[in-house]
Amino acid sequence: MALPEDVPVVPLRHWGRWVSGVVILALLVGLGSAMADAQILYEDVPGFFSADVMIDGLVNTVVLAVVAQAAAVVLGVVVALMRRSANPVARWVAWVYIWIFRGVPVLLQILLWYNLALVFKTISVPIPFTDAHLIDTPTNALITAFVAALLGLGLNESAYMAEIVRAGLNSVDPGQLEAAKAIGMTPATTLRRVVLPQAMRVIIPPTGNDFINMLKGTSMASVIGFLELIHAANNISSRNLEIMETLLAAAAWYMIVVSVASVGQYYLERAFGAADRVDRGLTPWSRVARSFRTPPTVRS
Amino acid sequence: MESTPLVRAHGVRKSYGRTEVLRGVDMTVEQGQVVCLLGPSGAGKSTFLRCINHLETVDAGQIWVDSKPVGFRLRGGKLHELREREAAAQRRAIGMVFQRFNLFPHRTAVQNVAEGPVHVQGVNRRQAHEQALALLDRVGLADKAGSYPRQLSGGQQQRVAIARALAMRPKLMLFDEPTSALDPELVGEVLEVMVDLAREGMTMIVVTHEVGFAREVADHVVFMVDGAVVETGPPSQVLDDPQQPRTRQFLAKVL
């Protein structure tokens, strides 16, 4: 049979894309008209969004989330190292620590810390064999709403971070440890120069995920009167009863902060993946731009 | 004048659970000697090599390198076990090259080589960098200084690994099947570097299946089976006129 030449080629038509696009567009129009009819005073939202109390709440939310996450990362590394320690006591302590702080709901942990004064009037750490005290303060003075929220959120997160870090440490090829030993590296230098930099590729994505959770988890501190975004929104709506409007303003702030954190995570991952990819690949913007220009192709 | 040997091992025993991997190995390596360890897989060659720089602890027997007991300190007529940090210091005089290279993937070739001098010996960065470039040149990779391991072929990676070990100015080099993970056409470039090193007088212990290399370079060949030394001597004797049936069997298979 002779092979025909120059026969026209008909590319595959992607009807599904057009159909689904139309359906989604219709749904969006419906939602839009519903929201337009809703009894929401949209014109008030921008004012709530930029109200002084809202900005205070925003700052407090971000500060609490960053400090709690930072403390959790440090504690998590320590607990993860303890779980991998040769010392059986350290391993056991780390296991129990994770068991407890991962087992109790964060909201409950925050409430426990905040109400500590009910059971301990003062917090004092005596220095052994002397009458002096390292700390000796009324509990109420020490455990403010911020401190209680920080302890609740930070300690809970540190248990999760410990597991994330442990997964990262486990992901490093044992041959790397041997290579470090063979050039006479001490265990501490090996951890800092060889293990952690390689573990970071595994540690960063779930940590970014957890930080985004942490940003929203700060809202639980509203129950103990800490002025974060939801508490700020409640402050405004308790005066004017515009509950939906103030909550929408708070939601907008959460979306913005989470978006910024996501972008930060993306670039952090790129930085630590340096050795893995000869070609660092495209940024999301250039990828979006490209998807409009050329049809998707199969990559090997 | 008779000098003390650089490596002395006697009665080295090692078990993993119930499996006895080394059943009393004795070995002596003089300064400047090249010793090749041959034998079927599972003979304990690699395990013995790893005991020499304390990557494995021995169950019984002793290994002395440069008149110091490996993994111990001699004090008051007793051997005191070293802490990991002290064992690390002891390993600095012993270079090791692995079957799977084990380069640091997040650092370039020159950074891999300079890592030990800078972060273990405390050599200043610029000096270590210069020295690292010179070592890369010596193994024929001056133009690959800025490449990451994954951008290099297996043979190139192994040569970087040799340069990394040499950067510590070791008195002894251990090679654990350095060409076994390489494509056949890349074996030669690595062996060439090792031959040069041997010619320059480096003391080397090499676990290998390259009988040709052993014949050309080794001062001494040690044939091991089932965790024990079966036959030992110069290559002309062990490789060309083996006395033990196990050695003959093995050589008949690999040659």
Side-chain angles (χ1 to χ4, degrees):
Chain A
M1 194 181 100
L3 286 172
E5 283 168 34
D6 293 330
V7 176
V9 174
V10 182
L12 186 63
R13 305 278 185 220
H14 298 286
W15 300 114
R17 296 178 191 182
W18 290 99
V19 172
S20 57
V22 168
V23 170
I24 289 297
L25 208 62
L27 285 174
L28 283 177
V29 168
L31 183 68
S33 74
M35 291 303 282
D37 289 344
Q39 294 178 23
I40 297 176
L41 303 170
Y42 289 109
E43 62 276 18
D44 288 356
V45 174
F48 299 148
F49 181 78
S50 57
D52 286 346
V53 66
M54 205 62 138
I55 301 299
D56 287 346
L58 169 70
V59 171
N60 285 342
T61 288
V62 172
V63 168
L64 177 59
V66 168
V67 175
Q69 188 71 40
V73 167
V74 174
L75 272 173
V77 171
V78 172
V79 175
L81 290 175
M82 284 169 69
R83 273 211 72 177
R84 286 165 52 99
S85 167
N87 179 342
V89 178
R91 281 204 303 271
W92 183 81
V93 168
W95 188 88
V96 171
Y97 180 93
I98 293 170
W99 180 59
I100 291 174
F101 286 104
R102 213 166 51 165
V104 181
V106 193
L107 183 57
L108 199 149
Q109 287 185 45
I110 293 173
L111 289 169
L112 282 179
W113 288 113
Y114 191 60
N115 292 301
L116 205 62
L118 295 177
V119 288
F120 300 113
K121 292 295 168 210
T122 60
I123 292 175
S124 61
V125 180
I127 300 171
F129 313 118
T130 65
D131 289 337
H133 286 75
L134 201 62
I135 307 172
D136 192 10
T137 354
T139 306
N140 273 331
L142 204 63
I143 306 281
T144 60
F146 177 79
V147 172
L150 178 63
L151 286 169
L153 290 166
L155 293 177
N156 175 265
E157 175 61 17
S158 73
Y160 285 91
M161 278 309 304
E163 292 294 274
I164 290 172
V165 172
R166 191 167 68 95
L169 297 177
N170 285 346
S171 75
V172 178
D173 175 11
Q176 292 289 307
L177 295 178
E178 294 189 344
K181 276 184 176 179
I183 57 170
M185 266 195 190
T186 58
T189 310
T190 304
L191 183 69
R192 189 168 54 83
R193 296 286 307 172
V194 177
V195 176
L196 278 180
Q198 295 184 63
M200 287 310 263
R201 283 177 304 130
V202 174
I203 293 173
I204 289 173
T207 304
N209 202 29
D210 273 19
F211 179 60
I212 283 165
N213 250 331
M214 176 67 84
L215 281 166
K216 296 174 297 179
T218 54
S219 58
M220 280 181 277
S222 62
V223 299
I224 56 169
F226 180 67
L227 184 72
E228 42 64 67
L229 277 170
I230 291 194
H231 190 71
N234 286 344
N235 261 1
I236 300 173
S237 61
S238 64
R239 287 195 303 271
N240 58 19
L241 300 181
E242 295 188 37
I243 294 170
M244 273 303 214
E245 291 78 357
T246 52
L247 286 180
L248 281 179
W253 273 123
Y254 279 117
M255 291 291 290
I256 290 170
V257 172
V258 167
S259 303
V260 170
S262 308
V263 171
Q265 177 188 350
Y266 173 80
Y267 283 99
L268 209 57
E269 277 176 33
R270 268 173 79 89
F272 274 95
D276 281 341
R277 278 159 280 152
V278 178
D279 168 25
R280 287 276 207 95
L282 303 163
T283 60
W285 295 119
S286 43
R287 207 170 294 149
V288 167
R290 196 182 61 166
S291 73
F292 279 100
R293 281 199 306 272
T294 54
T297 49
V298 180
R299 248 174 283 172
S300 58
Chain B
M1 193 189 85
E2 185 74 3
S3 63
T4 54
L6 188 63
V7 180
R8 271 185 304 158
H10 56 91
V12 174
R13 289 179 174 274
K14 172 80 187 171
S15 303
Y16 293 115
R18 287 204 164 161
T19 323
E20 202 170 26
V21 188
L22 298 175
R23 313 163 184 254
V25 176
D26 300 320
M27 195 177 295
T28 306
V29 181
E30 303 290 340
Q31 187 85 46
Q33 260 190 342
V34 176
V35 172
C36 284
L37 289 173
L38 295 177
S41 52
K45 309 175 302 275
S46 289
T47 305
F48 179 68
L49 197 72
R50 293 157 58 81
C51 288
I52 297 175
N53 72 344
H54 201 46
L55 284 181
E56 306 281 352
T57 53
V58 303
D59 296 339
Q62 288 172 11
I63 302 175
W64 294 63
V65 174
D66 201 17
S67 304
K68 290 186 199 84
V70 169
F72 294 92
R73 184 193 295 110
L74 186 61
R75 195 179 343 111
K78 286 181 181 166
L79 291 177
H80 298 264
E81 205 175 333
L82 293 181
R83 297 189 168 282
E84 186 49 45
R85 196 158 34 84
E86 299 164 325
Q90 216 177 37
R91 286 193 197 100
R92 282 165 208 172
I94 306 172
M96 181 148 187
V97 174
F98 299 89
Q99 183 178 352
R100 309 210 58 85
F101 331 133
N102 295 350
L103 289 179
F104 303 130
H106 55 305
R107 305 202 193 284
T108 61
V110 69
Q111 285 171 340
N112 263 281
V113 179
E115 183 71 19
V118 173
H119 294 279
V120 175
Q121 292 174 322
V123 175
N124 89 48
R125 268 164 211 283
R126 183 167 303 168
Q127 199 185 326
H129 187 82
E130 293 296 316
Q131 188 208 340
L133 288 176
L135 280 167
L136 285 177
D137 190 36
R138 186 168 154 193
V139 299
L141 290 172
D143 56 328
K144 298 290 184 186
S147 302
Y148 283 97
R150 53 153 298 163
Q151 297 167 306
L152 301 173
S153 73
Q156 291 169 334
Q157 287 191 53
Q158 194 60 299
R159 286 186 280 155
V160 174
I162 294 173
R164 176 175 69 179
L166 292 176
M168 297 299 288
R169 301 183 190 283
K171 290 181 176 151
L172 169 68
M173 284 284 284
L174 308 175
F175 293 84
D176 188 2
E177 303 199 20
T179 57
S180 298
L182 296 176
D183 292 340
E185 79 271 22
L186 302 178
V187 169
E189 63 188 65
V190 172
L191 290 181
E192 225 168 88
V193 170
M194 291 170 62
V195 171
D196 284 347
L197 205 54
R199 298 257 152 81
E200 288 161 28
M202 176 63 77
T203 312
M204 295 161 61
I205 304 177
V206 186
V207 173
T208 186
H209 295 299
E210 299 289 335
V211 177
F213 173 82
R215 182 175 283 125
E216 188 186 349
V217 181
D219 298 298
H220 225 70
V221 173
V222 175
F223 183 72
M224 280 177 75
V225 176
D226 294 336
V229 174
V230 170
E231 189 162 1
T232 170
S236 58
Q237 182 191 318
V238 178
L239 299 177
D240 300 331
D241 186 21
Q243 301 302 307
Q244 299 293 326
R246 283 308 309 263
T247 317
R248 273 189 227 133
Q249 265 174 32
F250 175 78
L251 288 172
K253 274 182 197 156
V254 297
L255 284 178

